[in-house]
Amino acid sequence: AAKAAEEAAAKAAEEAAAAAEEEDEGADDWENVADEWDAEGSDIEIPDIGGGDDESDEDEDLVEKERRKEEAELKKKGIEKAKRDAAAEARKKEIEAMEAQMAEEADKAEREAEMKKLEARKRRMEREAEEAAARSTDDLRSPICCIMGHVDTGKTKLLDKIRQTNVQSGEAGGITQQIGA
């Protein structure tokens, strides 16, 4: 029984050594495959994540292109804004010119109206001077007078006193029936 146990222990030790050897060989196999693969030069390109000089140059080129593109867009927008500003300034000047012309026309119309007033005043003064020269005491007329009031307030009596007449006594009952009595 002791011999069987020793044989079993030896057999187990052999198996353990074989398993360990296989593990070492398996690791060696993977290392060998990796070495062969590197030696052959595979067709697959694996990007270098390490940030080499070539990639940083490309990034710088992209950044430079984007900056130039932004500058071009800003320049284009600046030119468009300048055009809009120039058009707005032209419209503003045009409006100012129109306002100045309208003000000038209004001033001209005011001057013409003032001239017409002066001419009318001059004609009226000439006419009044001619009329004043043509007046004489022989050609005077009686003034026109209008007396208004309610019934029985003494209108006819006032006119009788002014004209030194007695119209009221000739009326029936003292009530005047005629206009201008």
Side-chain angles (χ1 to χ4, degrees):
K3 194 176 188 186
E6 282 181 26
E7 284 181 19
K11 189 174 185 180
E14 263 182 43
E15 288 180 7
E21 194 175 305
E22 278 185 28
E23 283 182 24
D24 288 340
E25 286 179 16
D28 288 339
D29 289 341
W30 282 109
E31 289 175 7
N32 292 336
V33 170
D35 290 338
E36 289 175 10
W37 193 17
D38 287 341
E40 290 177 5
S42 69
D43 295 335
I44 300 172
E45 285 198 27
I46 300 173
D48 186 16
I49 300 175
D53 290 337
D54 293 338
E55 191 169 307
S56 64
D57 288 342
E58 290 176 11
D59 289 343
E60 288 175 8
D61 290 344
L62 289 174
V63 170
E64 183 68 22
K65 284 181 183 178
E66 287 179 19
R67 187 184 62 79
R68 287 182 186 161
K69 185 177 179 182
E70 288 176 2
E71 284 180 3
E73 287 178 14
L74 288 175
K75 187 182 283 187
K76 184 179 177 183
K77 288 180 182 179
I79 291 170
E80 289 174 359
K81 185 179 183 322
K83 286 179 182 179
R84 284 193 311 266
D85 290 347
E89 186 68 29
R91 282 193 303 264
K92 185 177 178 182
K93 286 182 180 180
E94 185 178 322
I95 289 171
E96 288 175 356
M98 289 174 65
E99 288 175 350
Q101 183 180 4
M102 289 172 58
E104 185 179 313
E105 289 175 2
D107 289 343
K108 184 178 178 182
E110 286 179 19
R111 287 192 304 265
E112 288 177 359
E114 189 66 33
M115 292 299 291
K116 286 182 181 180
K117 285 181 184 179
L118 289 173
E119 289 174 5
R121 185 179 298 149
K122 185 178 179 182
R123 286 192 307 264
R124 185 176 65 246
M125 304 253 313
E126 289 174 0
R127 188 173 58 239
E128 287 175 358
E130 288 174 7
E131 290 174 359
R135 281 188 200 153
S136 70
T137 55
D138 299 335
D139 194 21
L140 293 177
R141 296 184 328 175
S142 299
I144 297 172
C145 181
C146 176
I147 298 177
M148 294 172 38
H150 289 282
V151 178
D152 292 335
T153 56
K155 298 181 293 290
T156 304
K157 190 172 186 178
L158 277 172
L159 288 172
D160 283 346
K161 291 288 181 182
I162 292 172
R163 291 184 293 192
Q164 299 170 352
T165 59
N166 196 6
V167 173
Q168 190 175 11
S169 64
E171 295 292 328
I175 299 175
T176 308
Q177 298 294 320
Q178 297 177 6
I179 296 173

